[in-house]
Amino acid sequence: MSTRGLIAIEKTDKTCISSYCHHDCYPSGAGRILIDHYKTGEQAEALLALGFLSALGERLAPEPGENHDYDNPLPDVCIAYHRDRGEELRPPTIWSNADDMLAEAADQFWAEYVYLFRDGKWYVDSTYQPHGWRLVEDVLREHDDE
């Protein structure tokens, strides 16, 4: 079973672009990776440029000479459907705003979590039990305190 999610960037006009991610999108998985390894807008945009993901990794791509594909993935490298499975590139989805994206994510992608890069920080909300956009670091801190 997978914990699906969307990873998105909010633009200055409040529109959002998102990519789908199939595995491990709970906050202690994808949330931790996003705040630790994709800290800038440029890094977030490079991540979305991979298209839809099977899994999020700490690195966008393998180093030259490293063997990485869908059947033999490196544990810390993103697994992209286009690059690593040879599927057609699925470009990011464009949304009118973050709240519309959250409202449609479960129906369109079966996404349980949506991550949003906004004003230089990562936010998250759940599609099935929305709590409002919260900083990923706060959600992780609350989980650690439990």
Side-chain angles (χ1 to χ4, degrees), residues 94-144:
I94 300 171
W95 305 90
S96 60
N97 60 61
D99 292 332
D100 286 350
M101 175 178 57
L102 182 68
E104 294 294 323
D107 287 340
Q108 290 192 30
F109 294 98
W110 293 17
E112 187 171 341
Y113 293 98
V114 178
Y115 293 91
L116 179 64
F117 192 78
R118 171 189 274 170
D119 299 326
K121 295 186 182 284
W122 284 105
Y123 292 81
V124 65
D125 204 352
S126 169
T127 61
Y128 298 116
Q129 295 180 334
H131 293 97
W133 294 106
R134 299 185 300 158
L135 286 169
V136 172
E137 58 197 34
D138 291 344
V139 172
L140 291 171
R141 190 176 310 109
E142 288 170 16
H143 179 73
D144 290 344

Side-chain angles (χ1 to χ4, degrees), residues 1-138:
M1 186 153 181
S2 299
T3 304
R4 298 170 176 95
L6 295 183
I7 299 170
I9 299 170
E10 185 177 67
K11 299 295 192 172
T12 55
D13 65 359
K14 302 301 180 193
T15 60
C16 297
I17 59 170
S18 72
S19 262
Y20 170 78
C21 184
H22 191 73
H23 290 287
D24 302 334
C25 284
Y26 42 85
S28 62
R32 173 60 62 196
I33 292 171
L34 290 169
I35 66 170
D36 287 348
H37 300 280
Y38 299 92
K39 299 177 182 184
T40 68
E42 293 80 18
Q43 291 169 324
E45 287 182 14
L47 177 62
L48 293 188
L50 288 175
F52 285 22
L53 301 174
S54 179
L56 178 64
E58 297 170 0
R59 299 187 291 153
L60 290 172
E63 295 293 327
E66 288 184 310
N67 183 30
H68 171 80
D69 61 34
Y70 182 74
D71 294 322
N72 299 295
L74 293 169
D76 64 339
V77 174
C78 292
I79 303 171
Y81 288 115
H82 172 69
R83 180 190 67 202
D84 303 317
R85 289 180 61 162
E87 294 184 11
E88 187 174 320
L89 178 65
R90 296 183 202 166
T93 305
I94 300 171
W95 305 90
S96 60
N97 60 61
D99 292 332
D100 286 350
M101 175 178 57
L102 182 68
E104 294 294 323
D107 287 340
Q108 290 192 30
F109 294 98
W110 293 17
E112 187 171 341
Y113 293 98
V114 178
Y115 293 91
L116 179 64
F117 192 78
R118 171 189 274 170
D119 299 326
K121 295 186 182 284
W122 284 105
Y123 292 81
V124 65
D125 204 352
S126 169
T127 61
Y128 298 116
Q129 295 180 334
H131 293 97
W133 294 106
R134 299 185 300 158
L135 286 169
V136 172
E137 58 197 34
D138 291 344

